[in-house]
């Protein structure tokens, strides 16, 4: 074989190898970056106390991961950024800030409302969920029977309210200091604390809470979500509300 032919073969082999390697190179460059860590500051993303797959098949692990790490994580990161120039946000109680939003400077009020509301809502949300959550009993069950017409009616009314919430928002059970319960909905990341109330429990009806598994079937998600409720934690929150110590 001539030296020219050998050179042609070498060049051809080099070209084939480069073409074969190209898709791998492009794929590596297109890989999504890891989520950025939240800036250091006074606000902390509370870790989940259960694995992300704890609620399958009712809520899938990927939804839990994205919901907690990225959505809630973004609220915390935004709050820590605001706190750099507004350090009073990091020293006041969440309920005091959300209960007096009009005291905030107009330049940060809207951002605090959305992000601190989201932080409070989600902190409660992760807390009142858990595997093997049992059933309501004791004072909580008595309050449900007294104020919400019993467990079946309560669940139906709660699901209906969550289904009617237009767009993004939450459905809550509020609790007064005397223990009285009521069902309320709130848009976006608003929280009952904004009206001086307290949330005993609540369900997130933003699409990011369910869309990977349920798409537009919010009603199915609302029904399935009851399998994730931790009634022992709700009983703790109920006792704290009656004692006047329930915060976010």
């Amino acid at each position: 074989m001539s030296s020219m032919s050998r050179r042609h073969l070498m060049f051809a082999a080099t070209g084939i190898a480069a073409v074969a390697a190209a898709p791998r190179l492009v794929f590596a460059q297109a890989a999504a970056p890891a989520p950025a860590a939240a800036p250091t500051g006074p606000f902390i993303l509370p870790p989940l106390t259960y694995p992300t797959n704890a609620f399958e098949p009712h809520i899938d692990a990927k939804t839990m991961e994205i919901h907690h790490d990225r959505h809630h994580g973004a609220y915390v990161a935004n709050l820590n950024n605001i706190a750099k120039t507004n350090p009073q946000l990091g020293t006041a109680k969440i309920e005091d800030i959300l209960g007096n939003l009009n005291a905030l400077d107009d330049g940060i009020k809207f951002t605090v409302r959305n992000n601190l509301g989201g932080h409070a809502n989600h902190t409660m949300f992760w807390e009142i969920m858990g595997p093997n959550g049992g059933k309501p009993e004791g004072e909580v069950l008595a309050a449900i029977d007294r104020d919400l017409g019993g467990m079946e009616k309560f669940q139906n009314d709660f699901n209906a309210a969550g289904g009617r919430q237009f767009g993004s928002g939450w459905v809550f059970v509020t609790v007064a200091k005397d223990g009285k319960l009521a069902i309320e909905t709130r848009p976006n990341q608003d929280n009952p604390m904004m009206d001086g109330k307290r949330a005993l429990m609540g369900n997130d009806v933003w699409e990011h809470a369910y869309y990977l598994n349920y798409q537009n079937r919010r009603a199915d998600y609302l029904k399935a979500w009851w399998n994730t409720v931790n009634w022992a934690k709700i009983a703790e929150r109920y006792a704290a509300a009656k004692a006047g110590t329930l915060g976010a």
Side-chain angles (χ1 to χ4, degrees), residues 142-154:
I144 290 172
D145 289 340
R146 181 191 67 227
D147 301 327
L148 303 176
M151 194 63 188
E152 182 177 358
K153 185 176 187 303
F154 160 46

Side-chain angles (χ1 to χ4, degrees), residues 170-192:
W170 288 74
V171 53
F172 293 103
V173 175
T174 60
V175 55
K177 192 170 182 180
D178 64 1
K180 185 174 178 60
L181 305 181
I183 297 172
E184 295 186 7
T185 57
R186 300 280 169 145
N188 303 316
Q189 292 296 349
D190 282 6
N191 182 284

Side-chain angles (χ1 to χ4, degrees), residues 4-242:
M4 180 65 71
S5 296
R6 284 196 296 272
R7 283 197 299 271
H8 285 165
L9 285 173
M10 290 173 62
F11 290 147
T14 302
I16 292 170
V19 170
R24 289 193 292 272
L25 178 62
V26 170
F27 180 80
Q29 290 173 336
T40 56
F43 295 96
I44 298 172
L45 177 64
L48 296 177
T49 58
Y50 36 77
T52 55
N53 66 352
F55 305 127
E56 291 186 340
H58 312 295
I59 302 178
D60 60 284
K62 179 56 69 174
T63 292
M64 289 293 294
E65 177 189 337
I66 294 172
H67 196 173
H68 176 268
D69 297 356
R70 302 189 189 184
H71 288 279
H72 192 176
Y75 301 134
V76 171
N78 290 337
L79 289 169
N80 283 327
N81 280 329
I82 300 170
K84 290 177 182 178
T85 52
N86 297 272
Q88 74 279 9
L89 295 177
T91 58
K93 293 181 179 179
I94 291 177
E95 55 266 34
D96 291 341
I97 299 173
L98 291 180
N100 197 21
L101 285 170
N102 287 332
L104 296 177
D105 182 81
D106 286 344
I108 65 169
K109 185 188 303 181
F110 182 75
T111 304
V112 170
R113 179 179 192 139
N114 288 338
N115 289 281
L116 191 58
H119 179 42
N121 288 342
H122 285 86
T123 298
M124 176 273 301
F125 189 59
W126 312 128
E127 178 183 321
I128 58 111
M129 293 165 63
N132 305 313
K135 297 180 180 180
E137 55 187 25
E139 286 195 324
V140 171
L141 181 58
I144 290 172
D145 289 340
R146 181 191 67 227
D147 301 327
L148 303 176
M151 194 63 188
E152 182 177 358
K153 185 176 187 303
F154 160 46
Q155 288 182 314
N156 288 337
D157 290 348
F158 186 92
N159 291 349
R164 288 193 302 268
Q165 174 57 38
F166 183 77
S168 300
W170 288 74
V171 53
F172 293 103
V173 175
T174 60
V175 55
K177 192 170 182 180
D178 64 1
K180 185 174 178 60
L181 305 181
I183 297 172
E184 295 186 7
T185 57
R186 300 280 169 145
N188 303 316
Q189 292 296 349
D190 282 6
N191 182 284
M193 286 185 286
M194 295 173 183
D195 292 329
K197 302 177 181 179
R198 293 291 182 272
L200 175 66
M201 59 184 290
N203 192 3
D204 187 348
V205 295
W206 283 62
E207 287 186 343
H208 65 231
Y210 62 87
Y211 207 82
L212 290 183
N213 197 17
Y214 295 94
Q215 292 82 50
N216 64 328
R217 303 189 310 276
R218 184 191 288 185
D220 291 345
Y221 159 71
L222 285 161
K223 291 177 183 177
W225 177 78
W226 291 101
N227 293 285
T228 75
V229 174
N230 184 340
W231 287 103
K233 279 294 182 183
I234 291 172
E236 290 177 12
R237 291 179 65 85
Y238 187 76
K242 292 187 71 174

